[in-house]
Amino acid sequence: TLATDSVVTGKIADGTIANADIADLAASKLTGTVATARMPTGSVIQVVYNFSTSWNSGTDWVVSPCNATITPTKATSKIVMLWDLPNNYKDVNADIRVRVKRNGTVVGDYYSTQGYSVYGYLISGRRFSINHQAVDDSHSSTSALTYTVEMKNSGEATLYCPYSTGRGTHSVILMEIEA
């Protein structure tokens, strides 16, 4: 004989199990993942990151060899990209221009004169700096998205990203955020 108000097969089959029927369920019995449909706005759904000591250089747009790919779980989420890119160049009066691309399309374009670059120090006429920035991207996709960062100085001097020959680690962090 079943106890009064016990959970029986009929209640399971017709979906009438009430909260009172499971009030004493131990948290240790709950397993699995939280459904993203129940996550509040601003929750981090997933994080992808990449670190690199490889480097590129040039006098036009220099593509950082450090990029990252994320496959969003929802087309309505946002991707927040954070990066740190050390760089150096000879023209000490030049500013750094940075742009972010998603699958080859520019989604953010920034200048260091807007306060996005932290100027470092001068050594033998070279400017060393670290560029810290973030971009908030609305993507509308559940396919793989590759984010890259490109840098260019406003002068004509060669830009090294990162510093050169493996001096400096640069990083990219992608976060899928519940919108």
Side-chain angles (χ1 to χ4, degrees):
T1 304
L2 293 173
T4 305
D5 293 328
S6 65
V7 176
V8 294
T9 307
K11 284 187 171 185
I12 294 172
D14 68 11
T16 58
I17 298 175
N19 286 341
D21 294 327
I22 56 171
D24 293 327
L25 181 63
S28 62
K29 303 245 187 239
L30 301 174
T31 62
T33 58
V34 175
T36 57
R38 302 190 79 177
M39 297 177 92
T41 300
S43 296
V44 177
I45 298 170
Q46 64 172 314
V47 177
V48 174
Y49 63 92
N50 189 12
F51 297 90
S52 177
T53 56
S54 298
W55 63 284
N56 283 335
S57 65
T59 55
D60 198 10
W61 286 103
V62 177
V63 179
S64 166
C66 189
N67 58 57
T69 300
I70 191 167
T71 303
T73 60
K74 294 176 137 185
T76 57
S77 64
K78 291 188 177 270
I79 303 297
V80 172
M81 179 181 182
L82 309 167
W83 66 88
D84 291 314
L85 295 175
N87 59 81
N88 81 70
Y89 49 95
K90 184 93 170 150
D91 187 348
V92 296
N93 295 316
D95 292 321
I96 296 295
R97 184 174 178 187
V98 179
R99 67 184 179 193
V100 174
K101 290 185 173 181
R102 176 194 355 107
N103 292 350
T105 300
V106 175
V107 294
D109 199 349
Y110 310 94
Y111 291 91
S112 62
T113 55
Q114 296 173 329
Y116 293 100
S117 187
V118 177
Y119 285 102
Y121 46 88
L122 288 172
I123 296 179
S124 303
R126 296 194 72 78
R127 168 80 65 191
F128 289 79
S129 67
I130 299 177
N131 185 273
H132 309 279
Q133 293 187 12
V135 66
D136 178 1
D137 182 36
S138 298
H139 56 83
S140 71
S141 177
T142 55
S143 299
L145 303 173
T146 299
Y147 289 83
T148 57
V149 178
E150 297 179 348
M151 301 180 81
K152 177 181 182 178
N153 71 357
S154 61
E156 298 298 320
T158 300
L159 173 72
Y160 295 89
C161 176
Y163 293 134
S164 67
T165 60
R167 293 183 192 160
T169 299
H170 44 146
S171 60
V172 172
I173 301 170
L174 300 175
M175 295 182 287
E176 183 181 11
I177 307 294
E178 179 68 39

